[in-house]
Amino acid sequence: MLIYLIRRVLLVVLLCCSGLIAHAGEYRPAWRGLHVDVSRHFFEPAVLQQLMDRMAELKYNRLHLHLTDGPGWRLEIKRYPRLTSVGAWRKRLPAGPWDWRKHEIGNHFTECYGGYYTQDDMRRLIAYGAERGIMLVPEIDLPGHAYATLVAYPELAIEPPPGCKLGRDILAVQRPEVRRFVRGVLDEIMELFPQGTPIHLGGDEVDERLLSSEQQRDFMQEMVDYVQSRGYPAITWDEAACNGVRRQWVMLWRAEKYEHVMSLGQPVILSPNSHFYFDYPQSAAEAAPGEHVITTETVRSFRIPDSPHVLGVQANLWTEHIRTPERLFYMAFPRAEVLAEKFISQSVAEQN
Ligand code: ACM
């Protein structure tokens, strides 16, 4: 009995020291997140409120909103009104295979799809989350995934090198006026979200033939430092960290980069696409040939490492193929319930 008690006390001390929150024998990662891509498909504030109700029951505490991407810009920015008057709308296409290049951005089509959150909508959502212990985390994806931005403000786009057939969806961040634009957007985000809210700056999937790794690193580091100096922790996807950007929290999504990212010694939020991409099919019956399946067992099999660098975990819902609230909830649950079981059970159950 004495040995059992000593082991238990040591375990609680260990968990507290490792940056995780331990309450009365429970083990809770500090970051317990769900992510929703509201760019590819837009979800009304009421849907996000419904999702937060469910998240609160399950003790999730972060709702990460992927607010901008190629197919739509979803947050009112008063300095740059065309981001939403133009960038939040696109020609409605029939359901079918997803190819962002087919999405024509603009509000001038007979049948438009889109929508955005006004700043008042966002203030209400922030307050709704806060009442339920959930912090909303905004993401402005930089410097790529910017097609909607660049239809609204074409003068901000890179010029692909002659003969290069790649798309124009990258901000020309080497130009001072483009950095001014980005800082202006971030200023408005910081006016809207309470100080201390982490701001996700994206940083994923930019082709180095179009923007060199040095240009990407220099720009991302400047923006990380810009928000941090104002009291907003910065987050980026793992590409930026692997490319040498420092001082931010890293969101790991490429499972194959796990060892590399963990070796950097920066705070990490784990959302590997091997286990926590909940837009992937949840059973073999739903999967196309060769598609990676993430079942409830896959989620259960993930061990949250006891590392002082790991802030926590997050499941991501990308919405290329999630067009309706019903589908969003169908894809989120029950896998998000299984992930939530881990918040309180994994360590204590497995280590004792
Ligand atoms: C990502 O899935 N590109 C973060």
Side-chain angles (χ1 to χ4, degrees), residues 145 204-205 237 239 253 277 316 318:
H145 290 275
D204 59 324
E205 299 185 306
W237 296 110
E239 282 93 329
W253 73 277
Y277 266 37
N316 293 346
W318 299 97

Side-chain angles (χ1 to χ4, degrees), residues 33 49 66 86 89 96 144 215-216 255 277 325 337-338 349:
Q49 289 177 342
H66 186 74
V86 174
W89 306 98
Q215 287 169 325
Q216 293 187 41
Y277 266 37
E337 282 156 15
V338 173

Side-chain angles (χ1 to χ4, degrees), residues 133-312:
I134 297 171
M135 183 184 277
L136 267 70
V137 176
E139 179 184 353
I140 304 297
D141 201 350
L142 301 164
H145 290 275
Y147 183 61
T149 317
L150 299 175
V151 176
Y153 294 99
E155 64 277 16
L156 304 175
I158 57 155
E159 276 305 327
C164 178
K165 295 206 171 64
L166 295 168
R168 292 175 99 225
D169 74 333
I170 301 174
L171 290 158
V173 295
Q174 60 278 45
R175 301 213 313 260
E177 66 274 23
V178 176
R179 292 189 184 217
R180 258 197 310 280
F181 163 84
V182 173
R183 281 196 298 269
V185 169
L186 294 176
D187 285 344
E188 219 160 296
I189 301 268
M190 290 186 279
E191 283 156 24
L192 186 55
F193 285 82
Q195 207 179 33
T197 305
I199 298 182
H200 199 309
L201 301 169
D204 59 324
E205 299 185 306
V206 175
D207 196 307
E208 290 176 9
R209 285 169 293 176
L210 296 176
L211 201 61
S212 72
S213 58
E214 291 74 24
Q215 287 169 325
Q216 293 187 41
R217 181 165 56 243
D218 178 55
F219 165 73
M220 291 303 290
Q221 190 66 65
E222 181 180 318
M223 294 309 148
V224 162
D225 292 342
Y226 186 70
V227 297
Q228 306 240 102
S229 68
R230 285 155 180 76
Y232 291 81
I235 305 178
T236 68
W237 296 110
D238 58 61
E239 282 93 329
C242 293
N243 189 26
V245 178
R246 295 292 174 260
R247 296 186 282 283
Q248 81 280 31
W249 299 350
V250 183
M251 199 167 265
L252 174 109
W253 73 277
R254 296 177 300 172
E256 72 278 12
K257 298 293 177 190
Y258 181 89
E259 299 297 336
H260 182 180
V261 169
M262 292 295 278
S263 74
L264 296 173
Q266 286 171 254
V268 180
I269 298 153
L270 296 168
S271 59
N273 55 0
S274 51
H275 291 73
F276 296 158
Y277 266 37
F278 288 180
D279 50 305
Y280 287 12
Q282 42 197 325
S283 72
E286 293 182 353
E291 204 176 4
H292 181 58
V293 175
I294 296 183
T295 65
T296 48
E297 268 320 301
T298 317
V299 179
R300 193 167 281 123
S301 70
F302 189 83
R303 257 198 69 70
I304 306 174
D306 282 349
S307 156
H309 304 306
V310 173
L311 294 178

